[in-house]
Amino acid sequence: MRNSSISKIKILALKLSLILKKGDFLLLYGNIGTGKTTLARYIINNIQKKNKKRQTEIPSPTFNIAFEYNIKNFIIRHFDLYRIKKKFEINNIGLFEEMDNAITIVEWPELIKKKPKNYIKISFKYSKKINERNLRISSHGRCKEYAIN
């Protein structure tokens, strides 16, 4: 990714980190390498910083499937469903547990058929220039009210 793409992802992450609340889901769609994990890292670190928590390393959860980050009175749950192949497996990873006390970020959410009440969906797509990305953002429930300018 070029520096301008990373800078724009940092700005989007900052805006999202200011509006996401407990109970919200962030669903990140896109091919490998489009910026899903990068966006998640910036969001988590921004929320840690905003809540005066030490900013931690945010590894990709591709092999672990999930990581949790404790923030004062809530948690951030970061899932990567890339390795999940069957819908029933989603029930075994705790994706829909403790939703009211967490911000949940999910990469590769294609197998989630019944979406949560409050979510923001971001679809990453390569543009014609391989170093640039196009993003499409939509929202549902309480998240529909969020304005990201």
Side-chain angles (χ1 to χ4, degrees), residues 64-126:
N64 292 51
I65 299 177
F67 287 115
E68 289 189 352
Y69 304 90
N70 290 313
I71 311 288
K72 292 189 178 178
N73 63 344
F74 67 98
I75 58 174
I76 299 173
R77 302 171 328 133
H78 182 196
F79 290 88
D80 185 324
L81 306 184
Y82 182 75
R83 294 179 50 228
I84 303 290
K85 300 301 176 205
K86 298 191 169 95
K87 290 180 221 174
F88 77 88
E89 293 177 285
I90 291 174
N91 297 332
N92 297 331
I93 61 171
L95 182 64
F96 296 109
E97 296 172 8
E98 298 185 43
M99 290 172 30
D100 294 337
N101 194 39
I103 294 171
T104 304
I105 301 171
V106 183
E107 298 182 45
W108 301 95
E110 285 79 0
L111 285 178
I112 302 172
K113 296 305 174 202
K114 187 175 181 191
K115 305 286 189 267
K117 289 188 300 189
N118 303 302
Y119 68 88
I120 296 173
K121 174 183 174 182
I122 301 179
S123 298
F124 291 76
K125 195 173 188 182
Y126 285 109

Side-chain angles (χ1 to χ4, degrees), residues 1 5 8-9 12 29-31 34-36 122-137:
M1 253 187 280
S5 294
K8 289 176 182 176
I9 287 178
L12 175 61
Y29 294 82
N31 290 330
T34 52
K36 298 178 301 295
I122 301 179
S123 298
F124 291 76
K125 195 173 188 182
Y126 285 109
S127 71
K128 290 180 182 177
K129 296 180 183 176
I130 195 73
N131 293 337
E132 295 179 2
R133 310 291 185 269
N134 294 317
L135 302 180
R136 170 169 274 155
I137 301 172

Side-chain angles (χ1 to χ4, degrees), residues 16-20 44-53 55 71-72 74 103:
L16 287 166
S17 68
L18 294 173
I19 62 173
L20 288 169
I44 295 165
N45 280 156
N46 286 333
I47 292 172
Q48 288 172 328
K49 184 177 180 181
K50 181 174 83 172
N51 287 279
K52 296 177 176 44
K53 298 286 281 183
Q55 292 181 42
I71 311 288
K72 292 189 178 178
F74 67 98
I103 294 171

